[in-house]
Amino acid sequence: MGKISVSGMHCKHCEMLVTMELEDRGATDVAADSASGTVTFEGDLTPEQVEEAVKAAGFELARS
């Protein structure tokens, strides 16, 4: 399972955008939570694919 933090998600629509982009790249069981800014998913996506999906949805990965 993958878990990422995403900056800028603030509503259900944001969650849907990230979910769709990750699913388009092969992720399954995607669960985006705008309240915590986290997304979990199943699948063998590379870090590059994950970042590409998040950017395509209009967001950025949160950096620690």
Side-chain angles (χ1 to χ4, degrees):
M1 173 174 20
K3 183 175 182 177
I4 57 173
S5 295
V6 177
S7 295
M9 289 193 307
H10 62 274
C11 65
K12 294 291 181 189
H13 185 260
C14 298
E15 294 171 0
M16 181 190 67
L17 291 172
V18 174
T19 297
M20 287 181 2
E21 291 294 341
L22 285 167
E23 288 175 344
D24 284 352
R25 287 159 179 80
T28 59
D29 296 324
V30 180
D33 180 29
S34 58
S36 66
T38 60
V39 181
T40 58
F41 61 91
E42 296 291 334
D44 293 327
L45 277 67
T46 65
E48 292 80 15
Q49 288 173 306
V50 171
E51 185 165 10
E52 178 184 280
V54 171
K55 285 186 176 185
F59 304 100
E60 296 289 329
L61 290 174
R63 307 289 181 193
S64 323

